[in-house]
Amino acid sequence: MGDFEPTIIAFVCNWCTYTAADLAGTARLGYPPNVRLIRVMCTGMVDPKYVIKAFLEGTDAVLVSGCNPGDCHYINGNYKARRRIKLLKEILPQFGIEDERLRLTWIGASDGIMFAEIMTDMVAQLKGMGPSEAKTAMVI
Amino acid sequence: MAKTAKINVTEGNLLASLQGFFKAVLRVEDISAILVPQHLPMKNMVMPALVTDPKQLEGADPLAPAFPMNAAKIASRLTRKPAGGKVAAVLRPCEIRAFIELVKLKQGRMENVLLVGIDCLGAYQNKDYFKFVGDNVTESTTRFYQNVLSGKGAAMKEVDLSPTCKACEHCIPGAADLGIGLFGVDTANQLLVQTQTPQGEELLTRLNLPGSQEPAGRQKAVNAIIAEKTTYRDNMYQEIAAATNSLEKLTTYLANCVNCYNCRVACPVCYCKECVFVTDVFNHEPIQYLRWANKKGVIKMPTDTVFYHLTRMAHMSTACIGCGQCSNACPNDIQVMELFRAVSSRTQEAFEYQPGRSIEEEPPLSVFREDELADIVGIGHA
């Protein structure tokens, strides 16, 4: 598995985690280039369909990341996201999509360092786990 | 305090006794109609019917092992706006629970309906019911309830209860206005009537039925039935877990699916007025299919089959009441109910939610708390 490079699809909110990612970039912090950022206005708009589709298309992990509790630009979108992620974390592992492949984090706008660390750690974890099944299997 | 009464049974004829009871309900002043499973005059089938003429209740047959659809959807249609009168709805326990879920979603109202639940004897799958029914619906229903209530079981000739009903631990109506008891009751002579709400008590007072008490052996009989069904259900969960615990196995399980979406149409708690899977969102550009095919060399058509089922799980599994109409509706004999009940048991447990238990409990995905679920946040280390 030495040359396995995982793909992470990250749904990041405009106000916090996207800004943190931007900060990591402007501060020239290094982190593995495995993540594909999808900027959304709020984690509360991440439909479970987006996550399911990403997994069925063969991503190795999905990260949903938004504002810390209490900081949501739309007051409570991140709390709604948390319930949806909980729901998906009950459903997907029943079909072999490991719990560790779906992550929810709160990364504030000033936490560029934290963003870089989480990316580094997630990639390391995923390299240990190996590729997701949907990458190679025929999914109908 | 719940009140208890009885319906006298003459000559062991449960259907006639229930029909007499329904007629009495229909005579109550502010009840305009009764929704009840009814023989169709033109075919040996039992369907929900809305009856206003007491004479028409000769065809009422709530004990037939036929379950062509979940009538919660009918109750929803009848109650979404004031109808100018009250309807008494005779429903199976799973129909009552589905209706309660629909009321929570503002797709039905409790104000103008009285829910009458009967201990559920179960039903055959549609295809099996057609084999079983023969020429005389009343005779076949009588044979069915006599066998079940005398402990001989529901298996007859080549048919048996649907897996749904075998696995259903909710065969006693729990959230009705009036519950009619059969299990552990001396049904040769009487049926048990118990109120579960103030509305039910009011109706019972006006019906003037003879008072009674719950038979001593009822709870024990009910517990034994529930224990048997729970065992069947738990075995079913284990088999499903083993059969679908990887994407490859899940795709094998769903390989017969032709994306007809019948399971979604039949599902009483699939609440979207328009399912996203029939909108243009999934009417992909032709070039998109070629792109997808190029990626792996082959794609199955139509696409999005597993995507559809997983999305449906995300939408309705917390509300799944396990009525099994999805399996009934599948043209290709996919065991949809087994899969969805197995998933639902996990999602419902995660939110400590039991659909249809109480109108007061809010659907888990419609609410949140600030201090909860801290354990799912983060990437696995402190």
Side-chain angles (χ1 to χ4, degrees):
Chain A
M1 253 359 133
D3 52 357
F4 162 59
E5 285 296 337
T7 306
I8 303 170
I9 301 291
F11 297 96
V12 294
C13 94
N14 178 61
W15 307 97
C16 290
T17 305
Y18 185 80
T19 311
D22 208 18
L23 180 61
T26 48
R28 295 176 183 265
L29 297 173
Y31 62 87
N34 302 61
V35 64
R36 311 286 181 267
L37 290 181
I38 298 177
R39 182 174 62 145
V40 293
M41 289 311 284
C42 178
T43 50
M45 67 155 285
V46 178
D47 190 306
K49 276 197 297 295
Y50 303 168
V51 177
I52 295 168
K53 178 69 173 171
F55 278 119
L56 294 180
E57 287 293 317
T59 188
D60 296 296
V62 170
L63 170 70
V64 176
S65 186
C67 308
N68 278 287
D71 289 352
C72 177
H73 193 77
Y74 306 99
I75 302 173
N76 53 30
N78 48 359
Y79 295 129
K80 293 171 183 166
R82 188 168 57 186
R83 282 225 164 188
R84 292 183 194 132
I85 298 298
K86 172 69 177 171
L87 178 77
L88 288 168
K89 276 176 168 288
E90 294 297 328
I91 296 173
L92 298 176
Q94 300 194 48
F95 309 116
I97 299 171
E98 295 91 337
D99 180 61
E100 295 80 9
R101 294 189 189 272
L102 174 58
R103 296 295 198 186
L104 174 69
T105 58
W106 312 134
I107 304 176
S110 56
D111 293 332
I113 295 170
M114 187 184 190
F115 178 83
E117 281 172 1
I118 283 179
M119 287 306 129
T120 310
D121 289 356
M122 266 188 86
V123 169
Q125 284 175 5
L126 290 165
K127 283 190 173 173
M129 290 173 74
S132 95
E133 193 190 347
K135 204 160 226 170
T136 46
M138 178 175 171
V139 176
I140 59 172
Chain B
M1 182 62 200
K3 287 186 187 158
T4 306
K6 63 178 176 179
I7 300 170
N8 286 319
V9 175
T10 42
E11 293 167 15
N13 190 338
L14 267 55
L15 279 187
S17 315
L18 284 169
Q19 287 161 3
F21 171 74
F22 298 149
K23 282 180 194 169
V25 170
L26 201 45
R27 275 196 295 271
V28 170
E29 201 181 333
D30 64 345
I31 292 184
S32 313
I34 187 163
L35 176 71
V36 64
Q38 179 105 346
H39 298 165
L40 294 185
M42 67 295 277
K43 191 166 194 270
N44 289 340
M45 192 55 203
V46 175
M47 286 281 176
L50 187 66
V51 186
T52 54
D53 178 358
K55 281 195 274 275
Q56 294 292 333
L57 284 167
E58 308 285 322
D61 187 354
L63 301 181
F67 190 26
M69 66 177 306
N70 189 309
K73 296 172 90 169
I74 305 292
S76 156
R77 278 183 188 232
L78 288 171
T79 62
R80 67 187 175 86
K81 287 181 180 172
K86 256 192 181 174
V87 176
V90 182
L91 300 173
R92 289 181 187 272
C94 55
E95 295 175 317
I96 294 176
R97 290 182 297 121
F99 179 63
I100 287 172
E101 288 303 299
L102 290 175
V103 171
K104 290 178 192 174
L105 297 163
K106 311 280 186 271
Q107 296 189 9
R109 289 148 60 103
M110 283 293 189
E111 285 81 359
N112 293 309
V113 68
L114 275 158
L115 301 174
V116 180
I118 305 176
D119 281 3
C120 187
L121 305 179
Y124 301 136
Q125 289 208 292
N126 283 350
K127 288 171 195 162
D128 287 341
Y129 181 70
F130 298 140
K131 281 188 220 157
F132 164 80
V133 64
D135 298 329
N136 188 330
V137 182
T138 311
E139 185 275 329
S140 68
T141 301
T142 307
R143 192 151 37 94
F144 172 74
Y145 74 68
Q146 282 175 347
N147 273 14
V148 175
L149 290 171
S150 66
K152 284 188 213 148
M156 266 171 264
K157 288 188 282 184
E158 75 272 42
V159 300
D160 197 355
L161 281 191
S162 69
T164 308
C165 300
K166 284 185 186 172
C168 174
E169 73 280 32
H170 295 288
C171 46
I172 309 297
D177 293 302
L178 279 188
I180 297 178
L182 307 175
F183 298 125
V185 176
D186 174 23
T187 50
N189 295 305
Q190 64 176 72
L191 305 175
L192 180 69
V193 182
Q194 285 174 312
T195 64
Q196 298 180 354
T197 64
Q199 289 84 345
E201 278 175 40
E202 197 190 319
L203 176 65
L204 193 63
T205 314
R206 296 165 86 174
L207 285 171
N208 236 344
L209 290 172
S212 183
Q213 281 189 331
E214 183 172 299
R218 172 161 163 86
Q219 205 52 54
K220 200 175 153 199
V222 167
N223 290 347
I225 291 165
I226 292 175
E228 186 188 328
K229 286 168 181 274
T230 307
T231 308
Y232 183 95
R233 181 201 69 182
D234 292 344
N235 287 338
M236 178 180 92
Y237 288 166
Q238 280 180 10
E239 281 167 25
I240 288 299
T244 59
N245 61 10
S246 69
L247 267 181
E248 190 187 350
K249 286 188 189 169
L250 180 65
T251 53
T252 309
Y253 194 90
L254 296 170
N256 289 355
C257 180
V258 291
N259 294 33
C260 71
Y261 306 139
N262 282 4
C263 46
R264 184 255 305 161
V265 176
C267 179
V269 295
C270 230
Y271 48 81
C272 299
K273 289 294 179 191
E274 185 183 36
C275 177
V276 66
F277 282 87
V278 298
T279 64
D280 277 351
V281 173
F282 286 89
N283 191 12
H284 307 297
E285 294 293 323
I287 194 174
Q288 180 71 63
Y289 294 108
L290 295 182
R291 260 189 239 133
W292 279 328
N294 266 326
K295 207 168 128 193
K296 282 184 180 169
V298 55
I299 50 167
K300 173 253 173 194
M301 299 293 284
T303 55
D304 303 313
T305 305
V306 172
F307 190 13
Y308 159 70
H309 288 284
L310 290 176
T311 301
R312 211 166 83 78
M313 286 170 197
H315 276 198
M316 51 58 73
S317 71
T318 55
C320 175
I321 41 78
C323 69
Q325 287 301 345
C326 42
S327 284
N328 238 348
C330 181
N332 292 333
D333 295 329
I334 297 170
Q335 296 180 316
V336 191
M337 176 281 295
E338 286 85 340
L339 178 62
F340 275 68
R341 273 213 75 182
V343 171
S344 300
S345 75
R346 286 270 304 265
T347 58
Q348 291 170 13
E349 197 186 325
F351 292 105
E352 295 172 353
Y353 184 74
Q354 196 178 305
R357 178 168 54 187
S358 161
I359 197 87
E360 310 297 331
E361 293 174 338
E362 296 186 276
L365 272 294
S366 71
V367 289
F368 60 84
R369 291 205 319 270
E370 289 185 11
D371 56 338
E372 63 173 2
L373 304 174
D375 56 314
I376 66 158
V377 180
I379 62 164
H381 53 72

